[in-house]
Amino acid sequence: MPRGLFITLEGLDGSGKTTQLQRLAAWMQKRGMDPVITRQPGGTATGDRIRALLLDAGSTPIAPMAELALMFADRAQAIQEVIEPALAAGKTVVCDRFTDSTEAYQGGGRQLGSEVVTQMHTLICGELKPDLTLLLLPSLEASLARARRRNDRTTQETGTNESRFEQEKKDFYKRVWQKYREIAEREPERVILIEGNLTIDEAHEQIIEAVSERMMALRAKS
Ligand code: TYD
């Protein structure tokens, strides 16, 4: 059985990633594909506990290296429990964030650098790499405004505060944004950059085009 396709979605908080993931999943389902949809951090029972620890604004401070290790602990669990079994069974996996997020947020944002992230990736994830990464990168200003609005809404609706990341300063997000761009420039084959302030439909079209192309290329190879 040929391995399934591993697709990841990346972008800043507020880049419209979640909406695009839902649209992509619906598009796939309509075409008879049965994708496995997951997210990081989270996506497994253990991962959800790690996620709560990481994203709860009330939690005690987490050292950048501890944060990095927790991201990879979550990833290790997801790979064993969800991602590898699905890919081995020939299923397409669509994952909301993967190692590029760690490189952008911990490597760029927290200034740990790319090298340590790459090394951890090799240790924890081995050869596993996305076949295709869709990187949504609206302008920094638009991303920040959306993240802020969403965070205000979540706090009002649920009384919970997942804002540890959203509270970070603008320079933090700027570093994340720049690191994402750097990744896209470094790996143009894998990373499809969806730039600019596009409408939901426009971004969806670009995503569908990239996914269709990659699927056809893989089919031609096998
Ligand atoms: P989430 O609410 O899932 O944000 P979004 O809907 O924008 O994906 O929160 C995930 C947060 O975790 C987000 O701010 C990015 C951060 N993160 C890292 O810092 N490093 C990582 O490796 C991953 C996977 C996420």
Side-chain angles (χ1 to χ4, degrees):
M1 152 116 36
R3 262 171 83 81
L5 195 68
F6 184 29
I7 300 174
T8 58
L9 258 98
E10 292 284 352
L12 251 75
D13 314 58
S15 60
K17 198 167 43 60
T18 307
T19 307
Q20 291 301 335
L21 186 118
Q22 286 160 356
R23 294 276 302 261
L24 175 63
W27 179 86
M28 286 179 162
Q29 276 147 5
K30 232 171 137 183
R31 272 149 197 83
M33 288 176 244
D34 183 21
V36 170
I37 312 289
T38 186
R39 70 163 176 182
Q40 293 190 353
T44 63
T46 301
D48 282 338
R49 295 174 69 185
I50 298 174
R51 180 184 172 87
L53 188 68
L54 281 163
L55 302 186
D56 177 6
S59 63
T60 46
I62 300 173
M65 273 297 182
E67 188 177 81
L68 174 74
L70 284 168
M71 292 299 177
F72 274 105
D74 166 74
R75 190 156 301 134
Q77 189 72 29
I79 290 171
Q80 180 174 313
E81 227 178 274
V82 180
I83 300 173
E84 260 310 324
L87 293 175
K91 290 195 169 181
T92 298
V93 174
V94 184
C95 192
D96 189 346
R97 299 191 180 282
F98 195 63
T99 300
D100 293 325
S101 281
T102 318
E103 189 176 342
Y105 284 80
Q106 280 68 51
R110 303 251 187 257
Q111 296 176 291
L112 295 178
S114 292
E115 182 65 24
V116 66
V117 178
T118 311
Q119 286 180 3
M120 290 266 301
H121 180 87
T122 305
L123 260 173
I124 306 283
C125 314
E127 297 286 300
L128 183 65
K129 252 193 158 200
D131 297 296
L132 178 67
T133 296
L134 304 155
L135 171 56
L136 289 157
L137 212 56
S139 72
L140 182 63
E141 287 67 29
S143 299
L144 287 175
R146 217 178 313 182
R148 217 173 292 122
R149 276 202 304 275
R150 189 186 60 166
N151 190 53
D152 290 349
R153 221 169 31 232
T154 312
T155 311
Q156 271 170 12
E157 279 169 12
T158 63
T160 60
N161 191 351
E162 278 203 350
S163 64
R164 211 169 75 79
F165 286 92
E166 275 90 351
Q167 278 166 5
E168 298 294 338
K169 300 204 173 62
K170 214 174 162 177
D171 342 348
F172 172 87
Y173 280 101
K174 201 167 168 196
R175 289 195 297 271
V176 175
W177 194 93
Q178 281 164 341
K179 187 59 88 178
Y180 265 136
R181 262 207 134 269
E182 194 184 304
I183 297 170
E185 273 162 31
R186 189 180 68 211
E187 295 184 63
E189 267 293 298
R190 171 176 70 86
V191 182
I192 305 292
L193 185 57
I194 298 155
E195 268 187 302
N197 297 322
L198 306 173
T199 65
I200 292 177
D201 285 342
E202 284 165 348
H204 177 65
E205 282 308 313
Q206 291 195 15
I207 287 174
I208 296 312
E209 202 180 309
V211 171
S212 309
E213 250 174 47
R214 199 55 53 108
M215 282 181 165
M216 273 188 312
L218 274 187
R219 228 172 278 146
K221 251 201 244 166
S222 61

